[in-house]
Amino acid sequence: MEALAKPQRQMVRLRGRSYVAFVFVPTVPIQDWLLEIDATIARSPGFFAGRPVVVDLSSVDLSQSGIGHLLTSLQDRNIRVLGIEGVEEGRLTPSMPPLLSGGRSCVVEQSAPKKSEAKAESKPTSLLLESPVRSGQTVIFPDGDVTILGSVGSGAEVVAGGSIHIYGALRGRAMAGVNGHTSARIYCQKIEAELLAIDGFYQTADDIDSALRGRPAQAWLQGNTMRITALN
């Protein structure tokens, strides 16, 4: 009799995928911090919808029950926490989100580069998209500028390490300067944005002057304040 062939084991196929997550850094008193979250949600109800969130507890000293209460408070606000940072593993229970490590911040040191590094960084890096970014799509390019010849639909998102240039309408979210480039700007031919952000400073739709709606506009940082003006 012929020996039966052993069935081949099917290897599990693993894929790597990265996401841009919001990192919450609670401060005490926690209740006042939660009120700030409530104010953001009130201005833009869908701001955190469907976005991964990491909670960094390095700035507070919470007990296990305090961490549980904080997570419940965020869940009550429809904020889904992907993981936790900045706390001893012993303070987490198995039912809590996992302890994460190795996350990379989107802010870099503002130190002068070496001559060899300066030459390497002087090479312009950009991404050109000739088609529109449709609702639900996300474009992430942390290495430089992003130029979009079409529009950015509602619910779409563009994330760039440098500036963002949109030659159509901006109806979704645009986040520029995510690697600490405070000189980055956002340009669009028709501003109807859900959110604009540069180096972590942001304005939601309700913060944008209604007189600018539907007009060409640009956004940039002036100190720690985002300025949005008409683009002549």
Side-chain angles (χ1 to χ4, degrees):
M1 296 179 60
E2 293 184 2
L4 293 175
K6 290 185 179 180
Q8 257 190 339
R9 179 179 295 177
Q10 182 70 33
M11 299 297 291
V12 176
R13 189 177 186 184
L14 302 177
R15 296 177 181 270
R17 186 167 296 172
S18 61
Y19 295 87
V20 175
F22 287 118
V23 178
F24 284 3
V25 185
T27 56
V28 290
I30 295 294
Q31 193 58 40
D32 289 350
W33 180 81
L34 288 171
L35 289 176
E36 292 296 324
I37 297 294
D38 290 337
T40 300
I41 295 174
R43 291 195 302 268
S44 183
F47 186 52
F48 300 113
R51 293 302 303 267
V53 169
V54 174
V55 177
D56 183 353
L57 299 177
S58 59
S59 298
V60 293
D61 184 16
L62 298 180
S63 63
Q64 189 177 84
S65 60
I67 296 173
H69 183 267
L70 173 62
L71 295 174
T72 300
S73 298
L74 293 174
Q75 186 176 2
D76 290 343
R77 292 163 171 79
N78 294 319
I79 297 174
R80 302 287 298 274
V81 177
L82 173 72
I84 299 175
E85 292 180 341
V87 68
E88 297 88 353
E89 190 172 5
R91 295 199 187 185
L92 305 181
T93 67
S95 62
M96 291 180 180
L99 184 66
L100 301 180
S101 61
R104 293 186 300 169
S105 174
C106 287
V107 179
V108 297
E109 292 291 334
Q110 297 299 319
S111 56
K114 298 177 182 178
K115 290 184 179 179
S116 60
E117 292 176 345
K119 289 181 180 179
E121 291 178 359
S122 64
K123 182 180 179 180
T125 306
S126 61
L127 173 67
L128 172 65
L129 297 178
E130 297 184 1
S131 57
V133 182
R134 304 189 184 282
S135 178
Q137 291 182 321
T138 298
V139 174
I140 301 176
F141 188 71
D143 300 322
D145 294 358
V146 173
T147 300
I148 300 170
L149 299 186
S151 298
V152 177
S154 176
E157 186 174 74
V158 180
V159 180
S163 297
I164 297 175
H165 308 258
I166 300 170
Y167 284 83
L170 170 57
R171 299 186 178 92
R173 304 174 181 176
M175 302 180 185
V178 295
N179 287 324
H181 297 296
T182 57
S183 60
R185 296 196 176 204
I186 299 173
Y187 304 91
C188 63
Q189 286 299 313
K190 188 176 181 181
I191 186 167
E192 297 175 356
E194 297 170 355
L195 177 140
L196 298 176
I198 299 176
D199 190 28
F201 298 95
Y202 69 89
Q203 288 194 25
T204 62
D206 292 339
D207 300 322
I208 301 172
D209 187 351
S210 58
L212 294 174
R213 288 278 165 182
R215 298 178 59 191
Q218 64 172 325
W220 77 96
L221 287 184
Q222 189 174 65
N224 293 336
T225 302
M226 178 183 289
R227 296 286 308 279
I228 304 174
T229 60
L231 182 62
N232 296 324

